[in-house]
Amino acid sequence: RNETSVRKLVKNPYVMLLSLFLFVSMITYVFNQYAFQQLIKEQYPEERELTNFNAFFTGSVYALSLLMQTFANNRIIANYGLRIALFLLPTIVGIFAVASLLTGVTMGFDKETSPAGFVFFFLFISIGRMFNWTLRDSLENPVFKLFFIPLDSRIRFNIQTKVEGIVNEGARFFAGLLIFGIAFLPFIKVIHVVILLLVMVVLYYFVVHRMYN
């Protein structure tokens, strides 16, 4: 359809806003994942311990997602609306990112020189990662799909497919390139990724505010 060509979609402010939201969401997700992966390799250098932790962590995420979808999602949307539902993820990620940043600055985040600081730094990053993963899958994605409803029903599915396909994977690729570049900069530490994560949280708030208005 000509109405759903990339050239047409780029000129549609609403579709571009949805695309920007998805772009920010995915980059935040990947940055969070990268910081988490860097830390668990330090915390669990033994392969067996790493496997056990990943299994426990993944199981916890799936269990929390199930509880969210079963008991919390409908209540959050019904009582607080779509705007608060979309603000929930960046708010929680931002809280734990700030906590990890303050911990890293005040107590240190190097496992060898500041073991106590590293434990708290790792804890906050891990909890932030858990909620980012859980809320994105169980709450944000279903709510985000509702924002396609105002579009023309004849072309809604085609637009949604392109936005969720092209933009989502494009954002993942872009975030991967950023991380690839970061890996070649020896002065970039995990705490700097946390700062980038906070920048993405601010962008999150801006985009959600624009979407709701």
Side-chain angles (χ1 to χ4, degrees):
R1 281 178 174 269
N2 187 46
E3 299 98 319
T4 60
S5 66
V6 175
R7 182 177 298 180
K8 286 283 188 180
L9 295 181
V10 168
K11 295 179 181 179
N12 188 319
Y14 186 72
V15 173
M16 289 304 297
L17 198 56
L18 294 178
S19 300
L20 182 60
F21 173 85
L22 196 57
F23 191 83
V24 172
S25 174
M26 176 53 73
I27 292 181
T28 303
Y29 180 85
V30 173
F31 277 177
N32 205 327
Q33 181 183 30
Y34 175 73
F36 175 70
Q37 291 295 332
Q38 291 298 108
L39 291 176
I40 62 172
K41 288 191 295 186
E42 291 188 51
Q43 178 68 10
Y44 301 104
E46 297 293 330
E47 184 176 350
R48 180 68 178 179
E49 293 180 344
L50 180 61
T51 302
N52 289 340
F53 176 80
N54 280 330
F56 172 78
F57 188 85
T58 304
S60 299
V61 169
Y62 289 150
L64 190 57
S65 295
L66 179 61
L67 292 174
M68 283 286 299
Q69 292 176 356
T70 305
F71 300 108
N73 282 12
N74 289 337
R75 293 183 179 181
I76 292 173
I77 296 172
N79 294 333
Y80 303 105
L82 300 181
R83 186 168 183 258
I84 298 301
L86 290 182
F87 272 136
L88 190 60
L89 189 153
T91 299
I92 293 179
V93 170
I95 288 172
F96 286 105
V98 169
S100 61
L101 180 62
L102 293 177
T103 300
V105 171
T106 58
M107 299 178 63
F109 58 93
D110 185 88
K111 188 178 181 181
E112 300 297 328
T113 60
S114 308
F118 175 83
V119 169
F120 283 104
F121 188 75
F122 174 70
L123 177 65
F124 289 133
I125 291 292
S126 299
I127 296 175
R129 165 63 178 157
M130 176 180 289
F131 278 107
N132 192 347
W133 188 356
T134 300
L135 292 175
R136 191 170 192 271
D137 286 348
S138 64
L139 180 62
E140 183 184 274
N141 285 343
V143 170
F144 176 69
K145 294 180 188 301
L146 297 177
F147 281 84
F148 288 95
I149 292 178
L151 298 173
D152 189 336
S153 60
R154 297 171 302 170
I155 57 176
R156 181 190 304 148
F157 179 74
N158 287 337
I159 294 176
Q160 183 175 345
T161 301
K162 288 185 177 180
V163 170
E164 293 183 334
I166 298 174
V167 176
N168 195 60
E169 296 309 312
R172 191 189 298 270
F173 177 73
F174 181 75
L177 287 179
L178 290 178
I179 291 173
F180 183 76
I182 288 172
F184 282 95
L185 300 175
F187 58 88
I188 297 293
K189 307 298 182 183
V190 177
I191 197 167
H192 299 120
V193 178
V194 175
I195 295 173
L196 292 176
L197 193 59
L198 286 172
V199 172
M200 298 309 300
V201 167
V202 173
L203 289 176
Y204 232 122
Y205 274 103
F206 173 76
V207 176
V208 171
H209 180 72
R210 290 292 302 275
M211 280 176 61
Y212 193 78
N213 290 334

